[in-house]
Amino acid sequence: MVTEALPAKPDIAHVRRETGVIRESLGYRTFRVVNAIVLVLICVVTLYPFVNLVAKAFSSEGYIAAGEVNLIPRGFNIDTFRAVMGDGLFWTNYGNTFLYTVVGTIIAMVITTTYAYALSKPHLKGRTFFIGIAVFTMFFGGGLIPNYILIANTLGWRNSIWAVVVPGALSVFNLLVMKSFFESFPTELEEAAAIDGLSTYGIFFRIVLPLSKAVLATMTLFYAVSQWNSWFNAFLFMDDKQMFPVTIYLRNLIAAASGTSEITGGGEAVQIASNIQAVTMLLTVLPIICFYPFIQRYFVSGVMLGSVKG
């Protein structure tokens, strides 16, 4: 009886190396190198102003005026920080900014999510009309004086939190992005939830929103940053210093520093004219920088998910 030897087991790794790997061409390798260099340069250009800002915030007035501060502080100085942070009004206005940002973001997210979810349904009666109203406001507005009369006189919101958080509660751009995301949501999942007995609100709160974390986090960041940096509405509708956001406080501080070379804080003259802008900008942007890393992983995917459909 003759037995034939079984064929040797092929080396899968060798086969993959020989047939599965696409060798990079010279043009592709050149593209990768150029792409890496360009991205590094973009990062440097983006980070340099912020690093320079931090360096100026901790430098003395003489070195800044002489243009000798780039990336490293010169003549280490924290007197400006002491002057600003030692003022009780600063912390009051800082707390106001946190309150306005939280309340304004919550109101904006409630309006945007509910409005966008309704507009995403093709069977909604008057859907085109409601979309048209939203888009119309992107190109036409009532004007400064009519808005002031409406908010300050008609609604009586002068020196009120509502004058700050309500006028900018809806961004049409964010609305359209979220609407596109909801339109791409699988209708079969909603139909299955409806068969199980969930109402429209139940489907929205228990099915749709939990599966929309990426776009919700992105829109929350957009609204929070916008509200945190907002100052014009408070400047227009408020004259009580205790109600100011920190942006108004810092604006007034910079305006005062532009006319004088020093201010007195706690009985001590401190240098402030040159680095007051750097200090105030750093104090304003710091909370957003601390907040961003927690939702950074949702940022790109959230924007792209909502922009697939127009």
Side-chain angles (χ1 to χ4, degrees):
M1 181 178 181
V2 180
T3 59
E4 296 181 359
L6 295 176
K9 185 177 181 181
D11 187 353
I12 301 299
H14 175 74
V15 174
R16 288 179 177 174
R17 284 196 301 270
E18 294 295 328
T19 61
V21 177
I22 300 177
R23 294 183 179 179
E24 297 179 354
S25 63
L26 178 60
Y28 182 69
R29 289 197 300 268
T30 303
F31 167 77
R32 291 184 60 184
V33 173
V34 173
N35 191 40
I37 294 174
V38 171
L39 290 177
V40 170
L41 291 176
I42 292 175
C43 291
V44 171
V45 171
T46 304
L47 291 176
Y48 175 79
F50 181 76
V51 177
N52 180 255
L53 181 73
V54 175
K56 286 184 177 180
F58 290 97
S59 298
S60 62
E61 181 183 26
Y63 286 102
I64 299 175
E68 299 179 3
V69 179
N70 288 316
L71 300 178
I72 301 176
R74 301 290 301 276
F76 188 78
N77 168 42
I78 58 173
D79 289 338
T80 306
F81 282 98
R82 290 175 178 173
V84 174
M85 300 179 68
D87 188 355
L89 183 61
F90 169 78
W91 294 110
T92 300
N93 295 160
Y94 221 97
N96 292 340
T97 299
F98 272 103
L99 177 63
Y100 299 160
T101 301
V102 172
V103 175
T105 303
I106 292 174
I107 293 175
M109 289 301 297
V110 170
I111 295 176
T112 304
T113 53
T114 52
Y115 195 0
Y117 184 69
L119 294 180
S120 67
K121 302 305 175 186
H123 58 269
L124 175 68
K125 293 183 179 179
R127 177 173 179 264
T128 304
F129 171 75
F130 291 116
I131 294 177
I133 289 178
V135 174
F136 181 83
T137 61
M138 296 180 68
F139 304 100
F140 303 97
L144 181 61
I145 295 177
N147 284 338
Y148 181 87
I149 294 175
L150 172 66
I151 295 174
N153 297 338
T154 305
L155 298 177
W157 285 352
R158 188 171 182 82
N159 286 321
S160 170
I161 182 178
W162 309 116
V164 177
V165 301
V166 172
L170 179 64
S171 167
V172 179
F173 171 80
N174 294 345
L175 173 70
L176 297 178
V177 171
M178 191 168 288
K179 165 185 165 293
S180 299
F181 172 78
F182 287 146
E183 286 177 341
S184 64
F185 200 84
T187 56
E188 295 80 7
L189 190 58
E190 297 183 56
E191 293 172 355
I195 293 174
D196 289 338
L198 284 180
S199 63
T200 301
Y201 294 102
I203 295 173
F204 179 65
F205 287 108
R206 298 180 62 179
I207 303 296
V208 177
L209 292 185
L211 296 176
S212 307
K213 293 180 180 179
V215 71
L216 292 178
T218 303
M219 295 302 116
T220 299
L221 177 66
F222 285 167
Y223 279 122
V225 172
S226 176
Q227 191 65 53
W228 181 270
N229 294 327
S230 175
W231 66 275
F232 186 71
N233 284 341
F235 177 76
L236 194 63
F237 299 113
M238 291 183 176
D239 50 27
D240 183 1
K241 293 183 178 180
Q242 299 296 323
M243 295 292 296
F244 284 167
V246 72
T247 48
I248 297 295
Y249 174 90
L250 300 180
R251 175 195 173 277
N252 294 339
L253 202 59
I254 293 174
S258 64
T260 58
S261 61
E262 60 179 25
I263 65 170
T264 299
E268 178 183 11
V270 296
Q271 295 175 335
I272 198 169
S274 296
N275 66 342
I276 179 63
Q277 184 176 4
V279 170
T280 53
M281 290 176 65
L282 181 61
L283 292 174
T284 301
V285 77
L286 192 59
I288 296 298
I289 293 177
C290 296
F291 172 70
Y292 177 76
F294 293 99
I295 61 175
Q296 184 270 340
R297 58 176 178 156
Y298 298 112
F299 186 73
V300 175
S301 60
V303 174
M304 294 304 295
L305 284 172
S307 61
V308 173
K309 298 177 66 177

